[in-house]
Amino acid sequence: MMVVFLVVFGIFSTVYAFDCPDNCKCSTAAHKNLTVCQEGDLRSIPRTLNPYTNHLDISGNVIENLENRTFVEAGLINLQAIVLKSSTIRRIEQGTFVGLKWLIELDLSNNFIENIHPLLFSDNKLLEMVNFSGNPITRLVPYQFTTLQNLRTLDFRNCALENVEEEAFSNLVSLQTLCLKNNKLTTLPKNIFTWLKQMHNLDLDENPWQCDCNVQVIAILLLIRGLYNSNGTLTCTYATKPTIIRWQDMDHIHNDCEHHVQAHVKETIMSGSPRFGKSTVFKYMNTTRRLPRYSSHILQSPFLPWIAAFLALITSYGCVICICNIYKYRIQTNTHKKNYECTNKREENSIYRDDFCLIDEENTTSDVSVSIDL
Ligand SMILES: *[C@@H]1O[C@H](CO)[C@@H](O)[C@H](O)[C@H]1NC(C)=O
Ligand SMILES: *[C@@H]1O[C@H](CO)[C@@H](O)[C@H](O)[C@H]1NC(C)=O
Ligand SMILES: *[C@@H]1O[C@H](CO)[C@@H](O)[C@H](O)[C@H]1NC(C)=O
Ligand SMILES: *[C@@H]1O[C@H](CO)[C@@H](O)[C@H](O)[C@H]1NC(C)=O
Ligand SMILES: *[C@@H]1O[C@H](CO)[C@@H](O)[C@H](O)[C@H]1NC(C)=O
């Protein structure tokens, strides 16, 4: 009788025992069941955990591979937070997080992950925070996180990112915080932040930025969206010269960039969250253009004898028309002078460079204009 009882109890307890495993600590706090199995030499996700576990921390173990359905097969379908820091993870199969419908936070920081499968999170629509910091990830591919419409925080600091491709952040309409600090980024696609309408916290520091057209356009966008870190920590170098300069001192409207500015600033600002209350048009004047020299132009003209004759004719008719011409010439030189003057109006955070300047007069004809309609 006793033996039968023991056998029955034994079977019962192996199937239904959710006592806390050795090396783990289980607790309940704020109506959440927490299980912490840190530094436990675990090689895989334990299969004897309480299936009602909401928060699982298995940091500091030696889990090299996260296999398909590993959490679901361990019965852990109620997980809301998984912390897997510093667990020597190298590979995450695409179906690892399948079935975790309630997952909100995922911390995979300080592992050896190189690739993120684009379908990795296709079952985790409630995810709000993903931390990949400290992993040797080199690139983010298009449509990488497209199911994560609730994602608010994405952390890639201290990774090895060299390439963030266009549409890498597509659909992340709730993203508020994006950290790309301390990577190997030299440029970004100019539409990269188009989807990120809610973003208000962006860290791009400590990257070897090149002062190229995309970075120039992004600098303008960030200024306009109020996301620019004006501490001067964002720097870049031109391909042609080694000097390190601050983003706000870049040639924002570079000749090569002009059409990019026209085409993309408007588009991106429109889809973002600019801080303007009304429709705004930025107008720029190209101040390097060689304005026609009234006199030299005429002097070089093959029609000089005719003009001389004409002038003589005018003179013979009296000085009235002549005076008008002089007056006209004076107005024109004044206009030229004005164009050149505005290059000296450099201010902190303003958007112009040596050969372009932002003009604020309503009626002046501009060379480049960027319109932001709301
Ligand atoms: C915590 O786990 C116990 C079983 O051990 C379960 O009865 C309870 O409902 C769980 N709490 C939550 C918030 O899931
Ligand atoms: C994991 O699952 C995906 C499909 O969800 C499949 O393509 C892949 O081969 C699986 N990996 C392994 C190692 O079974
Ligand atoms: C991500 O993880 C790193 C290292 O564990 C930590 O320093 C950082 O604060 C985390 N990021 C967020 C957003 O919690
Ligand atoms: C600017 O620098 C100060 C002090 O170094 C720091 O407290 C602040 O957070 C920085 N601002 C930004 C936007 O990084
Ligand atoms: C500005 O003017 C200079 C001189 O005419 C010209 O070479 C340059 O292409 C102009 N830039 C733009 C963007 O129109």
CSV table of all heavy atoms in Angstrom, one decimal, residues 308-363:
chain,number,residue,atom,x,y,z
A,308,ALA,N,26.7,100.9,-77.8
A,308,ALA,CA,27.3,102.2,-77.7
A,308,ALA,C,26.5,103.3,-78.5
A,308,ALA,O,26.2,104.3,-78.0
A,308,ALA,CB,28.8,102.2,-78.2
A,309,ALA,N,26.2,102.8,-79.7
A,309,ALA,CA,25.4,103.7,-80.6
A,309,ALA,C,24.0,104.0,-79.9
A,309,ALA,O,23.6,105.1,-79.9
A,309,ALA,CB,25.2,103.1,-81.9
A,310,PHE,N,23.5,102.9,-79.4
A,310,PHE,CA,22.2,103.0,-78.7
A,310,PHE,C,22.2,104.0,-77.6
A,310,PHE,O,21.4,104.9,-77.4
A,310,PHE,CB,21.7,101.6,-78.3
A,310,PHE,CG,20.3,101.6,-77.7
A,310,PHE,CD1,19.2,102.0,-78.4
A,310,PHE,CD2,20.2,101.2,-76.3
A,310,PHE,CE1,18.0,101.9,-77.8
A,310,PHE,CE2,18.9,101.2,-75.8
A,310,PHE,CZ,17.8,101.6,-76.5
A,311,LEU,N,23.3,103.8,-76.8
A,311,LEU,CA,23.5,104.7,-75.6
A,311,LEU,C,23.6,106.2,-76.1
A,311,LEU,O,23.0,107.1,-75.4
A,311,LEU,CB,24.7,104.3,-74.8
A,311,LEU,CG,24.5,103.1,-73.9
A,311,LEU,CD1,25.8,102.7,-73.2
A,311,LEU,CD2,23.4,103.3,-72.9
A,312,ALA,N,24.4,106.3,-77.1
A,312,ALA,CA,24.5,107.7,-77.7
A,312,ALA,C,23.2,108.3,-78.0
A,312,ALA,O,22.9,109.4,-77.8
A,312,ALA,CB,25.5,107.7,-78.9
A,313,LEU,N,22.4,107.4,-78.7
A,313,LEU,CA,21.0,107.8,-79.1
A,313,LEU,C,20.2,108.3,-77.8
A,313,LEU,O,19.6,109.3,-77.8
A,313,LEU,CB,20.3,106.6,-79.8
A,313,LEU,CG,19.2,107.0,-80.7
A,313,LEU,CD1,19.7,107.8,-81.9
A,313,LEU,CD2,18.5,105.7,-81.2
A,314,ILE,N,20.3,107.4,-76.8
A,314,ILE,CA,19.6,107.7,-75.6
A,314,ILE,C,20.0,109.0,-75.0
A,314,ILE,O,19.2,109.9,-74.6
A,314,ILE,CB,19.8,106.6,-74.5
A,314,ILE,CG1,19.0,105.3,-74.9
A,314,ILE,CG2,19.3,107.0,-73.1
A,314,ILE,CD1,19.4,104.1,-74.1
A,315,THR,N,21.4,109.1,-75.0
A,315,THR,CA,21.9,110.4,-74.4
A,315,THR,C,21.4,111.6,-75.2
A,315,THR,O,21.1,112.6,-74.6
A,315,THR,CB,23.5,110.4,-74.5
A,315,THR,OG1,23.9,109.0,-74.1
A,315,THR,CG2,24.1,111.4,-73.5
A,316,SER,N,21.3,111.4,-76.5
A,316,SER,CA,20.8,112.5,-77.3
A,316,SER,C,19.4,112.8,-77.0
A,316,SER,O,18.9,113.9,-77.2
A,316,SER,CB,21.0,112.2,-78.8
A,316,SER,OG,20.1,111.3,-79.2
A,317,TYR,N,18.6,111.8,-76.6
A,317,TYR,CA,17.2,112.1,-76.2
A,317,TYR,C,17.1,112.7,-74.8
A,317,TYR,O,16.0,113.0,-74.4
A,317,TYR,CB,16.4,110.8,-76.3
A,317,TYR,CG,15.9,110.5,-77.6
A,317,TYR,CD1,16.4,109.4,-78.4
A,317,TYR,CD2,14.9,111.3,-78.2
A,317,TYR,CE1,15.9,109.2,-79.7
A,317,TYR,CE2,14.4,111.0,-79.5
A,317,TYR,CZ,14.9,110.0,-80.2
A,317,TYR,OH,14.5,109.7,-81.5
A,318,GLY,N,18.2,112.7,-74.1
A,318,GLY,CA,18.2,113.3,-72.7
A,318,GLY,C,18.6,112.3,-71.7
A,318,GLY,O,18.7,111.1,-72.0
A,319,CYS,N,18.7,112.7,-70.5
A,319,CYS,CA,19.2,111.9,-69.4
A,319,CYS,C,18.2,111.1,-68.6
A,319,CYS,O,18.6,110.3,-67.8
A,319,CYS,CB,20.1,112.7,-68.5
A,319,CYS,SG,21.7,112.9,-69.1
A,320,VAL,N,17.0,111.2,-68.9
A,320,VAL,CA,15.9,110.6,-68.1
A,320,VAL,C,16.0,109.1,-68.1
A,320,VAL,O,16.1,108.5,-67.0
A,320,VAL,CB,14.5,111.0,-68.6
A,320,VAL,CG1,13.4,110.4,-67.7
A,320,VAL,CG2,14.4,112.6,-68.7
A,321,ILE,N,16.1,108.5,-69.3
A,321,ILE,CA,16.2,107.0,-69.3
A,321,ILE,C,17.5,106.5,-68.7
A,321,ILE,O,17.5,105.5,-68.0
A,321,ILE,CB,16.0,106.6,-70.8
A,321,ILE,CG1,14.7,107.0,-71.3
A,321,ILE,CG2,16.2,105.1,-70.9
A,321,ILE,CD1,14.5,106.9,-72.8
A,322,CYS,N,18.5,107.3,-68.9
A,322,CYS,CA,19.8,106.9,-68.4
A,322,CYS,C,19.8,106.8,-66.9
A,322,CYS,O,20.3,105.9,-66.3
A,322,CYS,CB,20.8,108.0,-68.8
A,322,CYS,SG,22.5,107.5,-68.4
A,323,ILE,N,19.2,107.8,-66.3
A,323,ILE,CA,19.0,107.9,-64.8
A,323,ILE,C,18.2,106.6,-64.3
A,323,ILE,O,18.6,106.0,-63.4
A,323,ILE,CB,18.4,109.2,-64.4
A,323,ILE,CG1,19.4,110.3,-64.5
A,323,ILE,CG2,17.9,109.1,-62.9
A,323,ILE,CD1,18.7,111.7,-64.5
A,324,CYS,N,17.2,106.3,-65.1
A,324,CYS,CA,16.4,105.1,-64.7
A,324,CYS,C,17.3,103.9,-64.7
A,324,CYS,O,17.2,103.1,-63.8
A,324,CYS,CB,15.3,104.9,-65.7
A,324,CYS,SG,13.9,106.0,-65.5
A,325,ASN,N,18.1,103.7,-65.7
A,325,ASN,CA,19.0,102.6,-65.8
A,325,ASN,C,20.0,102.5,-64.7
A,325,ASN,O,20.2,101.4,-64.1
A,325,ASN,CB,19.8,102.6,-67.1
A,325,ASN,CG,19.0,102.0,-68.3
A,325,ASN,OD1,18.0,101.3,-68.0
A,325,ASN,ND2,19.4,102.3,-69.5
A,326,ILE,N,20.5,103.6,-64.3
A,326,ILE,CA,21.5,103.6,-63.2
A,326,ILE,C,20.7,103.2,-61.9
A,326,ILE,O,21.2,102.4,-61.2
A,326,ILE,CB,22.1,105.1,-63.1
A,326,ILE,CG1,23.1,105.3,-64.2
A,326,ILE,CG2,22.8,105.2,-61.7
A,326,ILE,CD1,23.5,106.7,-64.4
A,327,TYR,N,19.5,103.7,-61.8
A,327,TYR,CA,18.7,103.4,-60.6
A,327,TYR,C,18.5,101.9,-60.6
A,327,TYR,O,18.7,101.2,-59.5
A,327,TYR,CB,17.4,104.1,-60.7
A,327,TYR,CG,16.5,103.9,-59.5
A,327,TYR,CD1,17.0,104.3,-58.2
A,327,TYR,CD2,15.3,103.4,-59.6
A,327,TYR,CE1,16.2,104.1,-57.1
A,327,TYR,CE2,14.5,103.2,-58.5
A,327,TYR,CZ,15.0,103.6,-57.2
A,327,TYR,OH,14.2,103.4,-56.1
A,328,LYS,N,18.1,101.3,-61.7
A,328,LYS,CA,17.9,99.9,-61.8
A,328,LYS,C,19.1,99.1,-61.4
A,328,LYS,O,19.1,98.1,-60.7
A,328,LYS,CB,17.5,99.5,-63.3
A,328,LYS,CG,16.8,98.2,-63.4
A,328,LYS,CD,16.2,98.1,-64.8
A,328,LYS,CE,16.2,96.7,-65.3
A,328,LYS,NZ,16.1,96.7,-66.8
A,329,TYR,N,20.2,99.5,-61.9
A,329,TYR,CA,21.5,98.8,-61.7
A,329,TYR,C,21.8,98.8,-60.2
A,329,TYR,O,22.2,97.9,-59.6
A,329,TYR,CB,22.6,99.6,-62.4
A,329,TYR,CG,24.0,99.1,-62.1
A,329,TYR,CD1,24.4,97.8,-62.5
A,329,TYR,CD2,24.9,99.9,-61.4
A,329,TYR,CE1,25.7,97.3,-62.2
A,329,TYR,CE2,26.1,99.4,-61.1
A,329,TYR,CZ,26.5,98.2,-61.5
A,329,TYR,OH,27.8,97.7,-61.2
A,330,ARG,N,21.5,100.0,-59.5
A,330,ARG,CA,21.8,100.1,-58.1
A,330,ARG,C,20.9,99.1,-57.3
A,330,ARG,O,21.4,98.4,-56.5
A,330,ARG,CB,21.5,101.6,-57.7
A,330,ARG,CG,22.3,102.0,-56.4
A,330,ARG,CD,22.2,103.5,-56.3
A,330,ARG,NE,20.8,103.9,-56.1
A,330,ARG,CZ,20.2,103.8,-54.9
A,330,ARG,NH1,20.8,103.4,-53.8
A,330,ARG,NH2,18.9,104.2,-54.8
A,331,ILE,N,19.7,99.0,-57.7
A,331,ILE,CA,18.8,98.0,-57.0
A,331,ILE,C,19.3,96.6,-57.1
A,331,ILE,O,19.4,95.9,-56.2
A,331,ILE,CB,17.4,98.1,-57.6
A,331,ILE,CG1,16.7,99.4,-57.2
A,331,ILE,CG2,16.5,96.9,-57.1
A,331,ILE,CD1,15.3,99.6,-57.8
A,332,GLN,N,19.8,96.3,-58.4
A,332,GLN,CA,20.3,95.0,-58.6
A,332,GLN,C,21.5,94.7,-57.8
A,332,GLN,O,21.6,93.6,-57.2
A,332,GLN,CB,20.6,94.8,-60.1
A,332,GLN,CG,20.7,93.3,-60.4
A,332,GLN,CD,20.3,93.1,-61.9
A,332,GLN,OE1,19.7,93.9,-62.5
A,332,GLN,NE2,20.6,91.9,-62.3
A,333,THR,N,22.5,95.6,-57.7
A,333,THR,CA,23.7,95.3,-56.9
A,333,THR,C,23.3,95.2,-55.4
A,333,THR,O,23.9,94.4,-54.7
A,333,THR,CB,24.7,96.4,-57.1
A,333,THR,OG1,24.1,97.7,-57.1
A,333,THR,CG2,25.5,96.3,-58.3
A,334,ASN,N,22.3,96.0,-55.0
A,334,ASN,CA,21.9,95.8,-53.6
A,334,ASN,C,21.4,94.4,-53.3
A,334,ASN,O,21.7,93.9,-52.3
A,334,ASN,CB,20.8,96.8,-53.3
A,334,ASN,CG,21.4,98.2,-52.9
A,334,ASN,OD1,22.6,98.3,-52.7
A,334,ASN,ND2,20.5,99.2,-52.9
A,335,THR,N,20.6,93.9,-54.3
A,335,THR,CA,20.1,92.6,-54.1
A,335,THR,C,21.2,91.6,-54.0
A,335,THR,O,21.2,90.7,-53.1
A,335,THR,CB,19.2,92.2,-55.3
A,335,THR,OG1,18.4,93.3,-55.6
A,335,THR,CG2,18.3,91.0,-54.9
A,336,HIS,N,22.2,91.7,-54.9
A,336,HIS,CA,23.4,90.8,-54.8
A,336,HIS,C,24.0,90.9,-53.4
A,336,HIS,O,24.3,89.8,-52.8
A,336,HIS,CB,24.4,91.2,-55.9
A,336,HIS,CG,23.9,91.1,-57.3
A,336,HIS,ND1,24.6,91.4,-58.3
A,336,HIS,CD2,22.7,90.7,-57.7
A,336,HIS,CE1,23.9,91.2,-59.4
A,336,HIS,NE2,22.7,90.8,-59.0
A,337,LYS,N,24.2,92.1,-53.0
A,337,LYS,CA,24.9,92.3,-51.7
A,337,LYS,C,24.2,91.5,-50.6
A,337,LYS,O,24.7,90.8,-49.8
A,337,LYS,CB,25.0,93.8,-51.4
A,337,LYS,CG,26.3,94.2,-50.8
A,337,LYS,CD,26.4,95.7,-50.8
A,337,LYS,CE,27.3,96.1,-49.6
A,337,LYS,NZ,26.9,97.5,-49.2
A,338,LYS,N,22.9,91.7,-50.6
A,338,LYS,CA,22.0,91.1,-49.6
A,338,LYS,C,22.2,89.5,-49.6
A,338,LYS,O,22.4,89.0,-48.5
A,338,LYS,CB,20.6,91.4,-49.9
A,338,LYS,CG,19.6,91.2,-48.8
A,338,LYS,CD,18.3,91.8,-49.1
A,338,LYS,CE,17.5,92.1,-47.9
A,338,LYS,NZ,16.2,92.7,-48.3
A,339,ASN,N,22.3,88.9,-50.8
A,339,ASN,CA,22.5,87.5,-50.9
A,339,ASN,C,23.8,87.1,-50.2
A,339,ASN,O,23.8,86.1,-49.5
A,339,ASN,CB,22.5,87.0,-52.3
A,339,ASN,CG,21.2,87.2,-53.0
A,339,ASN,OD1,20.2,87.3,-52.3
A,339,ASN,ND2,21.2,87.1,-54.3
A,340,TYR,N,24.8,87.8,-50.5
A,340,TYR,CA,26.1,87.5,-49.9
A,340,TYR,C,26.1,87.7,-48.4
A,340,TYR,O,26.7,87.0,-47.6
A,340,TYR,CB,27.2,88.3,-50.6
A,340,TYR,CG,27.5,87.7,-51.9
A,340,TYR,CD1,27.1,88.3,-53.1
A,340,TYR,CD2,28.2,86.5,-52.0
A,340,TYR,CE1,27.4,87.8,-54.3
A,340,TYR,CE2,28.5,86.0,-53.2
A,340,TYR,CZ,28.1,86.6,-54.4
A,340,TYR,OH,28.4,86.1,-55.6
A,341,GLU,N,25.5,88.7,-47.9
A,341,GLU,CA,25.5,89.1,-46.5
A,341,GLU,C,24.9,87.9,-45.7
A,341,GLU,O,25.4,87.7,-44.6
A,341,GLU,CB,24.6,90.3,-46.3
A,341,GLU,CG,25.4,91.6,-46.2
A,341,GLU,CD,24.6,92.8,-46.1
A,341,GLU,OE1,23.3,92.6,-45.9
A,341,GLU,OE2,25.1,93.9,-46.3
A,342,CYS,N,23.9,87.3,-46.2
A,342,CYS,CA,23.2,86.3,-45.3
A,342,CYS,C,24.1,85.1,-44.9
A,342,CYS,O,23.8,84.4,-44.0
A,342,CYS,CB,21.8,85.9,-45.8
A,342,CYS,SG,21.9,84.9,-47.3
A,343,THR,N,25.2,84.9,-45.6
A,343,THR,CA,26.1,83.8,-45.2
A,343,THR,C,26.7,84.1,-43.9
A,343,THR,O,27.2,83.2,-43.2
A,343,THR,CB,27.2,83.6,-46.2
A,343,THR,OG1,27.9,84.8,-46.3
A,343,THR,CG2,26.7,83.2,-47.6
A,344,ASN,N,26.7,85.3,-43.4
A,344,ASN,CA,27.4,85.6,-42.2
A,344,ASN,C,26.5,85.4,-41.0
A,344,ASN,O,26.9,85.6,-39.8
A,344,ASN,CB,27.9,87.1,-42.2
A,344,ASN,CG,28.9,87.3,-43.3
A,344,ASN,OD1,29.6,86.3,-43.7
A,344,ASN,ND2,28.9,88.4,-43.9
A,345,LYS,N,25.2,85.1,-41.2
A,345,LYS,CA,24.3,85.0,-40.1
A,345,LYS,C,24.3,83.7,-39.4
A,345,LYS,O,23.3,83.2,-38.9
A,345,LYS,CB,22.8,85.2,-40.7
A,345,LYS,CG,22.6,86.7,-41.0
A,345,LYS,CD,21.1,86.9,-41.1
A,345,LYS,CE,20.3,86.0,-41.9
A,345,LYS,NZ,18.9,86.3,-42.1
A,346,ARG,N,25.4,83.0,-39.3
A,346,ARG,CA,25.5,81.7,-38.7
A,346,ARG,C,25.1,81.8,-37.3
A,346,ARG,O,25.5,82.6,-36.5
A,346,ARG,CB,27.0,81.2,-38.8
A,346,ARG,CG,27.1,80.2,-39.9
A,346,ARG,CD,28.5,79.6,-39.9
A,346,ARG,NE,28.6,78.7,-41.0
A,346,ARG,CZ,28.2,77.5,-41.0
A,346,ARG,NH1,27.8,76.9,-39.9
A,346,ARG,NH2,28.3,76.7,-42.0
A,347,GLU,N,24.2,80.9,-36.9
A,347,GLU,CA,23.8,80.8,-35.5
A,347,GLU,C,23.8,79.3,-35.1
A,347,GLU,O,23.8,78.4,-36.0
A,347,GLU,CB,22.3,81.2,-35.4
A,347,GLU,CG,22.1,82.7,-35.6
A,347,GLU,CD,20.6,83.0,-35.9
A,347,GLU,OE1,19.8,82.1,-35.5
A,347,GLU,OE2,20.4,84.1,-36.4
A,348,GLU,N,23.8,79.1,-33.9
A,348,GLU,CA,23.7,77.7,-33.4
A,348,GLU,C,22.4,77.0,-33.9
A,348,GLU,O,21.3,77.6,-33.9
A,348,GLU,CB,23.6,77.7,-31.8
A,348,GLU,CG,23.9,76.4,-31.1
A,348,GLU,CD,25.3,75.9,-31.3
A,348,GLU,OE1,26.2,76.7,-31.7
A,348,GLU,OE2,25.5,74.7,-31.0
A,349,ASN,N,22.5,75.8,-34.4
A,349,ASN,CA,21.4,75.1,-34.9
A,349,ASN,C,20.6,75.6,-36.1
A,349,ASN,O,19.6,75.2,-36.4
A,349,ASN,CB,20.3,74.9,-33.7
A,349,ASN,CG,20.8,73.9,-32.7
A,349,ASN,OD1,21.8,73.2,-33.0
A,349,ASN,ND2,20.0,73.7,-31.7
A,350,SER,N,21.2,76.6,-36.8
A,350,SER,CA,20.5,77.1,-37.9
A,350,SER,C,20.9,76.3,-39.1
A,350,SER,O,22.0,75.6,-39.1
A,350,SER,CB,20.7,78.6,-38.1
A,350,SER,OG,22.1,78.8,-38.2
A,351,ILE,N,20.1,76.3,-40.1
A,351,ILE,CA,20.3,75.4,-41.2
A,351,ILE,C,20.8,76.1,-42.5
A,351,ILE,O,20.1,76.4,-43.4
A,351,ILE,CB,18.9,74.7,-41.6
A,351,ILE,CG1,18.3,74.1,-40.3
A,351,ILE,CG2,19.1,73.6,-42.6
A,351,ILE,CD1,16.9,73.7,-40.5
A,352,TYR,N,22.0,76.4,-42.5
A,352,TYR,CA,22.6,76.9,-43.7
A,352,TYR,C,24.1,76.7,-43.7
A,352,TYR,O,24.7,76.5,-42.7
A,352,TYR,CB,22.2,78.4,-44.1
A,352,TYR,CG,22.2,79.3,-42.9
A,352,TYR,CD1,23.4,79.9,-42.5
A,352,TYR,CD2,21.1,79.7,-42.3
A,352,TYR,CE1,23.4,80.8,-41.4
A,352,TYR,CE2,21.1,80.6,-41.3
A,352,TYR,CZ,22.3,81.1,-40.8
A,352,TYR,OH,22.3,82.0,-39.8
A,353,ARG,N,24.7,76.9,-44.9
A,353,ARG,CA,26.1,76.7,-45.0
A,353,ARG,C,26.7,77.9,-45.8
A,353,ARG,O,26.0,78.8,-46.1
A,353,ARG,CB,26.5,75.4,-45.6
A,353,ARG,CG,25.9,75.2,-47.0
A,353,ARG,CD,26.6,74.1,-47.7
A,353,ARG,NE,27.7,74.8,-48.6
A,353,ARG,CZ,28.8,74.2,-48.9
A,353,ARG,NH1,29.1,73.1,-48.4
A,353,ARG,NH2,29.6,74.8,-49.7
A,354,ASP,N,28.0,77.8,-46.1
A,354,ASP,CA,28.6,78.9,-46.7
A,354,ASP,C,28.0,79.3,-48.0
A,354,ASP,O,27.9,80.5,-48.3
A,354,ASP,CB,30.1,78.5,-46.9
A,354,ASP,CG,30.8,78.3,-45.6
A,354,ASP,OD1,30.3,78.7,-44.6
A,354,ASP,OD2,31.8,77.6,-45.6
A,355,ASP,N,27.6,78.4,-48.8
A,355,ASP,CA,27.1,78.8,-50.1
A,355,ASP,C,25.6,78.7,-50.2
A,355,ASP,O,25.0,78.9,-51.3
A,355,ASP,CB,27.8,78.1,-51.3
A,355,ASP,CG,27.6,76.6,-51.1
A,355,ASP,OD1,27.0,76.1,-50.2
A,355,ASP,OD2,28.0,75.8,-52.0
A,356,PHE,N,24.9,78.4,-49.1
A,356,PHE,CA,23.5,78.5,-49.1
A,356,PHE,C,23.0,79.2,-47.8
A,356,PHE,O,23.7,79.0,-46.8
A,356,PHE,CB,22.9,77.1,-49.0
A,356,PHE,CG,22.6,76.5,-50.4
A,356,PHE,CD1,23.5,75.8,-51.1
A,356,PHE,CD2,21.3,76.7,-50.9
A,356,PHE,CE1,23.2,75.3,-52.3
A,356,PHE,CE2,21.0,76.3,-52.2
A,356,PHE,CZ,22.0,75.6,-52.9
A,357,CYS,N,22.0,79.9,-47.8
A,357,CYS,CA,21.5,80.4,-46.6
A,357,CYS,C,20.0,80.4,-46.6
A,357,CYS,O,19.3,80.5,-47.6
A,357,CYS,CB,22.0,81.8,-46.3
A,357,CYS,SG,21.4,83.0,-47.5
A,358,LEU,N,19.5,80.3,-45.4
A,358,LEU,CA,18.1,80.3,-45.1
A,358,LEU,C,17.6,81.7,-45.2
A,358,LEU,O,18.2,82.6,-44.6
A,358,LEU,CB,17.8,79.7,-43.7
A,358,LEU,CG,16.4,79.3,-43.4
A,358,LEU,CD1,15.9,78.2,-44.2
A,358,LEU,CD2,16.4,78.9,-41.9
A,359,ILE,N,16.5,81.9,-46.0
A,359,ILE,CA,16.1,83.3,-46.1
A,359,ILE,C,14.7,83.4,-45.5
A,359,ILE,O,13.9,82.5,-45.6
A,359,ILE,CB,16.0,83.8,-47.6
A,359,ILE,CG1,15.3,82.8,-48.5
A,359,ILE,CG2,17.5,84.1,-48.1
A,359,ILE,CD1,15.3,83.2,-49.9
A,360,ASP,N,14.4,84.5,-44.9
A,360,ASP,CA,13.1,84.6,-44.2
A,360,ASP,C,12.1,85.6,-44.9
A,360,ASP,O,11.0,85.6,-44.6
A,360,ASP,CB,13.2,84.8,-42.7
A,360,ASP,CG,14.3,85.8,-42.4
A,360,ASP,OD1,14.6,86.7,-43.2
A,360,ASP,OD2,15.0,85.6,-41.4
A,361,GLU,N,12.7,86.4,-45.8
A,361,GLU,CA,11.8,87.3,-46.5
A,361,GLU,C,10.7,86.6,-47.3
A,361,GLU,O,11.0,85.7,-48.0
A,361,GLU,CB,12.5,88.2,-47.5
A,361,GLU,CG,13.5,89.2,-46.8
A,361,GLU,CD,14.9,88.7,-46.8
A,361,GLU,OE1,15.1,87.5,-46.3
A,361,GLU,OE2,15.8,89.4,-47.2
A,362,GLU,N,9.5,87.0,-47.2
A,362,GLU,CA,8.4,86.4,-47.8
A,362,GLU,C,8.5,86.4,-49.4
A,362,GLU,O,8.2,85.4,-50.0
A,362,GLU,CB,7.1,87.1,-47.4
A,362,GLU,CG,6.6,86.8,-46.0
A,362,GLU,CD,5.5,85.9,-46.0
A,362,GLU,OE1,4.5,86.1,-46.7
A,362,GLU,OE2,5.5,84.9,-45.2
A,363,ASN,N,8.9,87.5,-49.9
A,363,ASN,CA,8.7,87.7,-51.3
A,363,ASN,C,10.0,87.5,-52.1
A,363,ASN,O,10.0,87.6,-53.3
A,363,ASN,CB,8.2,89.2,-51.6
A,363,ASN,CG,6.9,89.4,-50.9
A,363,ASN,OD1,6.1,88.5,-50.9
A,363,ASN,ND2,6.8,90.6,-50.3
